[in-house]
Each structure stands twice: as structure tokens, then as C-alpha cells.
Amino acid sequence: MEAELSKLGNNLVTKFHVLMRISQIYDSKNVALNQFINEFLETINTLIKGNGVLSLKIIKDDFFLNDQRLRYSVEGFTSFKYLSTQWKKRLIGEVIFKTQMGEEMLRHFIYAFINLEEGCEENADLLKKKLESHQITSVEVNPLEIVEGEEEEAFTLQKEDHREVGKKIFFETIGTIKEVITNIKGNQHADIRKLKRLAQKAIHLVIEDESILLGMTMIKNYDEYTFNHSVNVSIYSLAMGKRLGFSKKILTELGITALLHDIGKSKIPREILNKPAALSNEEWEMMKKHPLMGVEIVLNLKQLGEINPRMVVGVFDHHLMNDLSGYPRLFLKKGVSLFGRIIQIADSYDAMTTPRIYKKIPYTPEQALAVMLREKTVHFDPLLLKIFIGLVGIYPLGSLVLLNTHEIGIVYKSSHDPKWLDRPIVLLVDRDVQGEATKELIDLTDTDRAGNYKWSIVKTLDPYKYHIDIAKYFL
Ligand SMILES: [Fe+2]
Ligand SMILES: [Fe+2]
């Protein structure tokens, strides 16, 4: 029941978002609106039918559907963000639909809603009156309840903090790469200009504070592996490129290349990609073609002007390995390109630390680094690997650690000073009385009066044994 309500709730928020956007473009009589009105109607009427009433309410940053908190899906993120911003701007906190809605009613409602003046405290009343003037009495509207200390926040939504910006870029990029892949699968033209814009935004953020996007790579989404993986590889690559002193232009190229590195997989059958067992020889041969197929796709992009040889080669050689023992096999033994070497490290690390259908329990960040260090020089560029370790730390981001105080924490951010690779910022794992995860950060370089460290890491722990969902702490 709850899962069903949550699914419908996500659907409702998405439809609401789309309808608001469309109605800001067209006037209320425009036929372009009909389809969206009908889709939204279908969703709300299903909900009203099943529950007798439909209340959509916003408290702080969360939406509640008939008092059940809605958790957003990856696809839903943009809609949730958009809708909560729009509601908060208009100081609307709750809408209750008490009876089934009709097309005309919905049309009046949505236009009355979007035409509310921002920041006006009487909006809930004004909206109700407007609806009554159209003989609509079955919709109740309540003002936004401002939780103490939040007054300012409601008005300064424009100045979203870095974390919000990070989340937005992250989820939007996942959505966009999904779109690109879907288009390529359907032999349609894919537009990569949007990817470029997102890469540029990500670069701004990485330059200001790389830990935000690096933290997002902990959101390992099992069902959306391909998309999450491309975005994660891009984040790691950009953070490495930043440390290598790349210009913004080169960083943009690197970001796009990393986003597209596995694009060739869109031409490989699903059964092979998601096969829960070892691949047969033929299947493996097919799989090994993805870098080359990627090159073909990239060269056929409509916006070929956005692509240069450096990027094409990066897609081509990301599995070549440092000693050229990987694939594709080369006739001319030339070294692996810089983009290829960077992406290869990011790619291996992300793949190893993500649960997959054939390996449900992945390596912990620490184990993954250990494997990579063992294979270094043969498989990876040792210098770049060193940079990568500097980036994720000795205790990589997302590691679950036991402290000498017997507390458990999650490595949240590596220390800026390389001297403190073993003393990162740690998020203590704890819950408040309501069972919600608390967010207390401690800095392991902190000392007490006598000059002794307040906390030290004793060892890393396996999050699967402790049933801790690391990703939750990074959102
Ligand atoms: Fe690949
Ligand atoms: Fe990959």
C-alpha cells in the first residue's frame, strides 16, 4: 500500500511540475495544454478515488501525500525541487482535493496558482476566493507553515547552498545522460550540448568545493547503474583534472568524455549487460567492442563540433590498461592517452565499489583502493593513481570507520592538507529520537587542551554487516 502511494505520489509531483511549467508558457485556452491536464487529472482522480481525499503538503523540504512522506526517485528529483520552490515562493503549504476533479476545475486551479504573487502572505486565501469565483469549493488551500528559524530561508531560496546546487547538477546530469543513451538506442540524434552545460556547472562546483559532488558518488543506484556510473566517473575525472591543473576548457572536454565513455554499451544487448553470471566467450568479445562502438557513436553525433580527437581517443582507450594488455587490441603500440588513463582509474574504482547484478556486495572503498594499488603500474598510471588516492584519501570517502571513542562514523570529506590524509572529516552515525539520521560532523584533526587528538580511526568496517545505507548520509 505504502509503496503504491509513494509511486503515485512521485507521479503526482512530476505531473504537477510539468503542468506548472507548461501553463507558464501557454494561456489557459491553448490546446497544447489538454494532454497535460488530462494526465494530471488521471493521477489525482486515481488518488482521490483510492483514498477519499488527496492532501499534498509541504513541510520543510519534504512533500507529504495524505500525511505519508514522499521519498523522491532519481527521476523525480528535479520535479520535487521545482515544485517545492514554487510553492514556497508563493507561501502555499498544502492543497487538499476533496472530490474528484474535472478538466475545467483543474484549469482554473492551475492558472490561479501560477498567477499568485510571490511572497504574498494572503495567497492561500486569495487562491480559495479565486476558486470560489469559479464555483469550485472542493479544493482547500492552506498557507505554508514556517518552521521557526526558517523565515529567512523561505525568502532566500534563490541563494541555494552548494549542496543543493550539487544535488541538482548530479540528478539532472543523470537524467540527461539517460536521455542521450535512449536516443542513441533508438537511432535518434542525441543532443550533447546539454551535457556540456552541465559539465561546465559541475566544474564550477568542483573548483569551489569538490567534496560535494564527490559525496554524491556514494549514491550507488543499483537499477540505474549505467547512468550513475557515467556521472560518477565524470566527477572523479574532473576532480583529478582539477588537481592536474587543467584549464576549464580541458576540464569540460574531460567531463564530457567521461560522461560518454561507456556510450558504446548502448549498442550491446541488455541480456549481456545485465547477465547475472559469467559471460561466454562470444558475449565477452561483444562486450569488449564497446569502446570502439563508443567512438563510432561519438563520431556520428550531430554536434561533432563539440568533440575533438582528445575526447574520441579517451573513449577509445579507457580499457586499454597501462601496459596495453586490455582492449581493444592495438596494432601500433602507442601509450594510453591522458584522458584514457584518468577515466580508467575513475571507471575501475566506481565499478568496484558499486553493487552489480553479478556481485551484489561490492568492494568497500578501502578494498577497491587496495586492489588498484596491487595492480598499479600494470593496469594504472602510478602517478595518476597517487593523485586519485590523494583525492579519496587513505580512508576513502564513504568508508565506514570505527573510532577510538567506540563511535562509528562515515568518512565525509578528506582533509585539504595532504599531511592529514588519515584524519578526514567524519560524519558520526547516529539517529535522533524520531529515528532520522543525524548529521554531526567531526574533524579528526581536532585536539583537546593537552594537544591529544579527540578522535582517531581504529579500523574500517563493512557497511553491509552493519546494515548502514551510506548513501543516505550524503544526500
Ligand atoms: Fe567501459
Ligand atoms: Fe565504465
Side-chain angles (χ1 to χ4, degrees):
M1 269 304 276
E2 268 189 22
E4 183 61 15
L5 196 62
S6 156
K7 204 172 134 202
L8 279 168
N10 264 279
N11 196 356
L12 176 74
V13 169
T14 314
K15 297 275 157 66
F16 206 142
H17 160 216
V18 175
L19 189 54
M20 271 191 90
R21 284 228 135 139
I22 300 283
S23 34
Q24 272 156 346
I25 306 172
Y26 299 110
D27 70 71
S28 69
K29 299 275 181 290
N30 199 303
V31 286
L33 227 69
N34 293 357
Q35 182 202 340
F36 301 99
I37 295 259
N38 286 328
E39 283 179 13
F40 188 46
L41 264 184
E42 204 187 310
T43 312
I44 47 177
N45 284 339
T46 311
L47 277 159
I48 297 168
K49 205 171 160 197
N51 302 280
V53 66
L54 188 172
S55 139
L56 188 65
K57 188 174 183 174
I58 187 165
I59 301 175
K60 279 188 161 179
D61 278 331
D62 291 313
F63 273 108
F64 288 77
L65 176 62
N66 288 356
D67 292 326
Q68 184 186 314
R69 184 166 136 212
L70 289 178
R71 294 191 185 279
Y72 52 76
S73 58
V74 170
E75 293 89 348
F77 178 76
T78 315
S79 298
F80 271 77
K81 189 75 216 159
Y82 176 85
L83 211 58
S84 75
T85 310
Q86 297 297 323
W87 280 42
K88 285 184 178 178
K89 271 187 191 167
R90 294 173 174 81
L91 303 179
I92 296 294
E94 184 180 24
V95 178
I96 307 175
F97 298 101
K98 292 192 274 194
T99 58
Q100 298 262 320
M101 294 286 286
E103 200 194 311
E104 269 317 292
M105 292 163 87
L106 189 60
R107 223 178 263 267
H108 288 307
F109 168 77
I110 207 79
Y111 279 89
F113 195 106
I114 59 168
N115 287 325
L116 292 171
E117 194 188 319
E118 287 178 19
C120 169
E121 287 181 23
E122 281 83 50
N123 272 346
D125 275 336
L126 290 172
L127 183 54
K128 254 183 277 181
K129 288 207 180 99
K130 184 88 195 165
L131 292 175
E132 276 162 16
S133 73
H134 295 290
Q135 279 81 47
I136 301 170
T137 50
S138 61
V139 181
E140 198 179 311
V141 190
N142 293 315
L144 185 70
E145 285 170 30
I146 296 188
V147 183
E148 222 174 297
E150 251 200 334
E151 279 110 337
E152 276 169 32
E153 197 202 8
F155 297 98
T156 51
L157 276 166
Q158 255 60 1
K159 291 184 203 150
E160 293 171 307
D161 67 272
H162 283 164
R163 186 161 298 279
E164 289 304 321
V165 175
K167 275 196 219 173
K168 197 162 173 234
I169 297 174
F170 182 80
F171 288 110
E172 260 184 44
T173 313
I174 290 182
T176 310
I177 192 82
K178 197 171 176 177
E179 229 173 86
V180 168
I181 290 177
T182 314
N183 281 346
I184 287 171
K185 272 192 180 151
N187 292 321
Q188 283 170 320
H189 278 302
D191 192 342
I192 61 155
R193 277 169 303 186
K194 206 168 156 197
L195 282 183
K196 184 181 176 184
R197 279 196 294 275
L198 285 162
Q200 284 165 334
K201 283 187 194 168
I203 290 161
H204 273 288
L205 192 58
V206 165
I207 288 171
E208 288 212 19
D209 185 354
E210 64 183 21
S211 69
I212 290 172
L213 285 177
L214 282 171
M216 302 271 154
T217 63
M218 292 297 126
I219 309 166
K220 306 287 189 186
N221 195 331
Y222 187 76
D223 302 321
E224 307 263 349
Y225 172 74
T226 321
F227 319 121
N228 268 58
H229 171 68
S230 311
V231 177
N232 291 352
V233 170
S234 186
I235 293 171
Y236 292 131
S237 302
L238 287 179
M240 283 167 85
K242 173 190 152 191
R243 293 188 177 209
L244 288 164
F246 286 1
S247 67
K248 279 191 186 155
K249 181 175 168 278
I250 305 282
L251 282 175
T252 311
E253 292 175 10
L254 176 63
I256 300 173
T257 313
L259 284 172
L260 297 176
H261 81 278
D262 272 340
I263 198 82
K265 286 193 182 167
S266 55
K267 295 287 182 198
I268 292 181
R270 252 194 144 148
E271 307 81 71
I272 300 184
L273 288 178
N274 295 331
K275 194 176 171 185
L279 297 181
S280 71
N281 275 347
E282 284 124 60
E283 287 166 339
W284 183 230
E285 284 310 315
M286 176 75 160
M287 192 69 158
K288 286 203 281 194
K289 287 198 182 124
H290 82 265
L292 207 56
M293 295 200 263
V295 167
E296 201 186 322
I297 292 169
V298 167
L299 290 176
N300 276 319
L301 283 173
K302 206 170 153 202
Q303 304 89 26
L304 192 59
E306 304 283 1
I307 303 287
N308 69 31
R310 218 181 346 249
M311 300 161 82
V312 181
V313 176
V315 172
F316 174 77
D317 65 11
H318 77 274
H319 285 291
L320 201 49
M321 306 284 184
N322 211 31
D323 62 349
L324 310 183
S325 63
Y327 54 89
R329 285 266 167 228
L330 297 186
F331 292 109
L332 252 177
K333 303 273 180 207
K334 269 187 87 190
V336 187
S337 72
L338 183 55
F339 277 15
R341 277 176 284 157
I342 293 174
I343 292 171
Q344 199 209 335
I345 291 177
D347 178 58
S348 306
Y349 181 77
D350 186 65
M352 274 194 265
T353 52
T354 307
R356 304 297 306 277
I357 192 145
Y358 46 83
K359 192 174 187 310
K360 294 234 159 98
I361 297 185
Y363 287 114
T364 63
E366 193 193 16
Q367 288 164 338
L369 278 191
V371 171
M372 291 169 77
L373 276 168
R374 255 203 318 274
E375 293 173 354
K376 85 171 174 218
T377 58
V378 188
H379 289 169
F380 306 105
D381 179 321
L383 192 73
L384 290 177
L385 189 57
K386 217 170 172 177
I387 291 178
F388 186 72
I389 293 172
L391 187 91
V392 289
I394 296 181
Y395 298 108
L397 286 177
S399 304
L400 190 66
V401 290
L402 177 69
L403 304 172
N404 60 339
T405 51
H406 302 296
E407 289 161 298
I408 291 180
I410 294 167
V411 177
Y412 197 70
K413 195 172 174 176
S414 57
S415 183
H416 279 301
D417 191 338
K419 199 166 84 191
W420 299 123
L421 272 182
D422 58 339
R423 297 206 161 269
I425 313 270
V426 166
L427 185 64
L428 289 178
V429 174
D430 206 359
R431 300 194 169 274
D432 62 17
V433 273
Q434 277 106 34
E436 290 286 321
T438 57
K439 296 212 163 170
E440 192 192 340
L441 286 176
I442 55 169
D443 185 342
L444 297 202
T445 59
D446 281 356
T447 49
D448 59 20
R449 279 201 194 141
N452 300 317
Y453 291 115
K454 289 190 192 164
W455 301 273
S456 294
I457 294 175
V458 179
K459 60 173 183 176
T460 53
L461 303 168
D462 184 348
Y464 287 88
K465 276 194 197 142
Y466 289 81
H467 302 291
I468 290 173
D469 183 0
I470 302 277
K472 250 200 213 147
Y473 289 86
F474 281 93
L475 263 179

